[in-house]
């Protein structure tokens, strides 16, 4: 235990003395401050007046080739439906309207070919453009209003009849994915990046010691298990410190600027993460990180040169990428109860991301969470002890990087 504490303290000091580590942490805190304070700075630099606010884009609406269309009613309906635009009714031909959109005089235009058919002109069509869907419903209502007016009903009565409000209530008996999507996505990315970054640091540190022959001296004065666990846990604590500093400062800056973000549902949902989910995230982060860090350390001990690290760790990097992609695709597709994600919830290399995703995005029975965590804990100790043996054997392996079979035979005979 004394050896473990000594190694742990030494490794932690090396992280906190590392200028790159400190610099990256400070940079990330500054970036989070910049993002959170951006609305306040924008208002300050812009003077906070309406005159400095950007004007709404122009939308042209017209029906030059259609008779019987009430131009005033057309403008009223489009203005009400597209409140984010300056709607202007035009009687110019389609070619002239196209030229205005192309030249930037208008952002988009609707030209009616008939009461139920139109052409939508837009210079660059965004994949998130929903104007046509809104216009479809709008023109349907306009057409029905005209038909009712032809049968003797006045415009107000026809409009009221077709605009009867429909109310509903949604009661989520499990998890509302609309509220959990964003922070699940961000936390999954954060876990993947920390595993990749700190895992490579552990492997590089071990390979550097081996290349300088310092490992041969260390291995004679300390047990391999103490060295491996000390290095890996130190990296885990450094990662936790960095994540706490970045996300903690982001939370602080968010509450300082809460009035500027209160109408942003996406940002609000990220910082409204329930405490129990935050605890689960920390548990799966620590256990998942330890598994990968032990493996990175073991692989680093088998590399003869630091230059071999990237090649040697490529299979492990691809494995972590696979776990990340499975979680992200299931989050994006809303298929968090799929068989694939359920199976991945019990595989140690994928369960940190998979089970956290399921907990955040669906209702998971407690016994499944307990089983997943128990498998992870057992795997951490098992892989940690195996990595320590590989670490001990790897000290003597120089020259060409050994094949996995040769390493495990050496571990078995050790």
């Amino acid at each position: 235990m004394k050896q473990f504490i000594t190694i742990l303290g030494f490794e932690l000091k090396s992280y906190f003395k590392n200028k790159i580590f400190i610099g990256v942490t400070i940079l990330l805190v500054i970036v989070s401050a910049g993002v959170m304070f951006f609305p306040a700075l924008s208002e300050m630099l812009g003077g906070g007046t309406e005159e400095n606010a950007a004007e709404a884009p122009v939308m042209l609406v017209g029906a030059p080739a259609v008779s019987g269309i009430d131009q005033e009613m057309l403008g009223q309906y489009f203005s009400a439906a597209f409140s984010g635009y300056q709607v202007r009714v035009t009687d110019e031909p389609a070619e002239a309207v196209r030229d205005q959109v192309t030249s930037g005089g208008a952002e988009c235009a609707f030209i009616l070919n008939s009461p139920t058919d139109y052409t939508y002109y837009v210079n660059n069509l965004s994949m998130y453009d929903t104007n046509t869907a809104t216009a479809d419903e709008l023109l349907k209502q306009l057409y029905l209003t005209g038909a009712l007016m032809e049968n003797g009903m006045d415009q107000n009565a026809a409009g009221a009849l077709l605009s009867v409000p429909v109310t509903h209530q949604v009661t989520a008996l499990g998890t509302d994915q609309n509220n959990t999507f964003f922070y699940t996505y961000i936390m999954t990315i954060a876990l993947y990046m920390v595993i990749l970054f700190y895992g490579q640091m552990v492997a590089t540190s071990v390979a550097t010691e081996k290349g300088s022959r310092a490992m041969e001296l260390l291995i004679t004065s300390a047990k391999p298990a103490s060295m491996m666990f000390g290095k890996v846990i130190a990296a885990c604590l450094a990662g936790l410190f960095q994540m706490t500093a970045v996300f903690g400062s982001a939370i602080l800056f968010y509450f300082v600027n809460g009035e500027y973000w209160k109408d942003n549902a996406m940002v609000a949902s990220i910082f409204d993460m329930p405490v129990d989910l935050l605890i689960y995230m920390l548990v799966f982060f620590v256990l998942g990180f330890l598994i990968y860090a032990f493996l990175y350390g073991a692989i680093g001990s088998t590399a003869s040169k630091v230059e071999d690290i990237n090649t040697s760790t490529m299979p492990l990097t691809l494995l972590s990428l696979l776990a990340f992609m499975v979680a992200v695709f299931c989050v994006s597709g809303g298929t968090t109860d799929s068989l694939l994600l359920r199976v991945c919830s019990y595989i140690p290399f994928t369960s940190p991301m998979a089970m956290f995703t399921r907990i955040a995005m669906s209702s998971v029975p407690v016994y499944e969470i307990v089983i997943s965590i128990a498998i992870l804990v057992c795997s951490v100790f098992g892989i940690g002890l195996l990595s320590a043996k590989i670490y001990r054997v790897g000290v003597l392996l120089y020259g060409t990087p050994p094949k996995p079979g040769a390493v495990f035979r050496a571990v078995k005979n050790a």
Side-chain angles (χ1 to χ4, degrees):
M1 180 58 71
K2 184 178 180 180
Q3 292 177 349
F4 165 74
I5 294 175
T6 302
I7 294 170
L8 176 64
F10 175 79
E11 292 293 332
L12 277 176
K13 287 180 182 179
S14 67
Y15 277 107
F16 292 123
K17 289 181 179 179
N18 190 315
K19 294 181 180 179
I20 296 178
F21 175 82
I22 299 299
V24 169
T25 304
I26 294 174
L27 177 62
L28 292 175
V29 171
I30 293 173
V31 169
S32 67
V35 172
M36 291 295 103
F37 280 96
F38 180 76
L41 292 175
S42 298
E43 182 178 298
M44 185 184 303
L45 295 175
T49 59
E50 294 183 1
E51 288 76 13
N52 291 313
E55 290 187 359
V58 175
M59 173 188 288
L60 299 177
V61 180
V66 183
S67 59
I69 293 289
D70 188 331
Q71 300 284 343
E72 183 179 354
M73 184 188 300
L74 185 67
Q76 291 175 355
Y77 271 64
F78 270 84
S79 296
F82 296 96
S83 58
Y85 287 89
Q86 298 182 54
V87 177
R88 299 177 183 173
V89 179
T90 179
D91 56 0
E92 295 182 351
E95 289 297 327
V97 171
R98 289 181 58 179
D99 291 340
Q100 289 193 54
V101 174
T102 303
S103 64
E107 183 174 289
C108 59
F110 288 93
I111 300 299
L112 274 64
N113 306 313
S114 74
T116 56
D117 178 67
Y118 65 86
T119 300
Y120 177 56
Y121 295 104
V122 61
N123 200 25
N124 296 306
L125 182 61
S126 168
M127 61 185 295
Y128 301 107
D129 192 328
T130 60
N131 287 346
T132 53
T134 303
D136 288 348
E137 294 299 320
L138 176 64
L139 290 177
K140 184 187 297 183
Q141 185 177 11
L142 186 61
Y143 177 79
L144 292 174
T145 301
L148 291 173
M149 290 173 64
E150 289 179 0
N151 286 277
M153 186 176 290
D154 63 75
Q155 179 182 345
N156 293 332
L161 179 63
L162 296 174
S163 303
V164 175
V166 177
T167 61
H168 68 274
Q169 295 79 36
V170 177
T171 302
L173 302 178
T175 301
D176 185 354
Q177 294 186 358
N178 292 315
N179 296 329
T180 62
F181 173 82
F182 295 108
Y183 58 67
T184 303
Y185 199 81
I186 289 176
M187 293 306 168
T188 303
I189 293 175
L191 177 56
Y192 170 71
M193 294 301 296
V194 169
I195 286 174
L196 192 64
F197 179 70
Y198 283 98
Q200 287 284 354
M201 288 186 69
V202 171
T204 302
S205 173
V206 172
T208 301
E209 290 176 355
K210 181 178 178 180
S212 64
R213 301 281 177 159
M215 188 187 293
E216 295 180 7
L217 297 176
L218 293 171
I219 205 75
T220 59
S221 57
K223 295 180 180 179
S226 297
M227 295 185 65
M228 179 60 73
F229 276 82
K231 284 180 174 294
V232 169
I233 294 177
C236 182
L237 292 176
L240 280 174
F241 169 80
Q242 194 170 59
M243 286 189 66
T244 302
V246 174
F247 286 104
S249 61
I251 293 172
L252 175 63
F253 298 145
Y254 167 75
F255 284 109
V256 170
N257 297 277
E259 62 178 307
Y260 297 101
W261 296 104
K262 61 184 178 181
D263 296 327
N264 191 312
M266 182 183 74
V267 175
S269 69
I270 294 172
F271 290 97
D272 287 342
M273 180 187 295
V275 176
D276 58 340
L277 190 59
L278 181 62
I279 294 173
Y280 280 127
M281 186 203 72
L282 291 175
V283 170
F284 284 105
F285 164 80
V286 171
L287 295 176
F289 175 84
L290 289 175
I291 283 181
Y292 278 96
F294 279 129
L295 291 174
Y296 271 108
I299 292 174
S301 68
T302 63
S304 300
K305 298 178 294 184
V306 177
E307 292 80 4
D308 297 333
I309 288 296
N310 289 334
T311 303
S312 302
T313 59
M314 183 61 68
L316 191 57
T317 301
L318 292 177
L319 181 60
S320 63
L321 178 61
L322 175 63
F324 170 72
M325 295 302 293
V326 168
V328 167
F329 284 144
C330 289
V331 170
S332 302
T335 56
T336 51
D337 286 324
S338 64
L339 178 61
L340 174 62
L341 203 62
R342 287 177 178 271
V343 172
C344 289
S345 299
Y346 301 104
I347 300 175
F349 304 109
T350 58
S351 61
M353 298 182 193
M355 182 54 84
F356 173 73
T357 298
R358 287 185 60 203
I359 294 172
M361 298 284 287
S362 63
S363 299
V364 184
V366 176
Y367 75 88
E368 291 190 19
I369 300 175
V370 172
I371 292 174
S372 179
I373 293 176
I375 293 174
L376 270 173
V377 171
C378 295
S379 300
V380 165
F381 282 101
I383 293 175
L385 294 175
L386 177 62
S387 298
K389 291 184 178 180
I390 296 175
Y391 179 86
R392 181 182 179 185
V393 172
V395 177
L396 307 175
L397 298 176
Y398 288 94
T400 304
K403 296 181 179 179
V407 173
F408 280 103
R409 282 195 297 272
V411 170
K412 184 177 180 181
N413 297 327

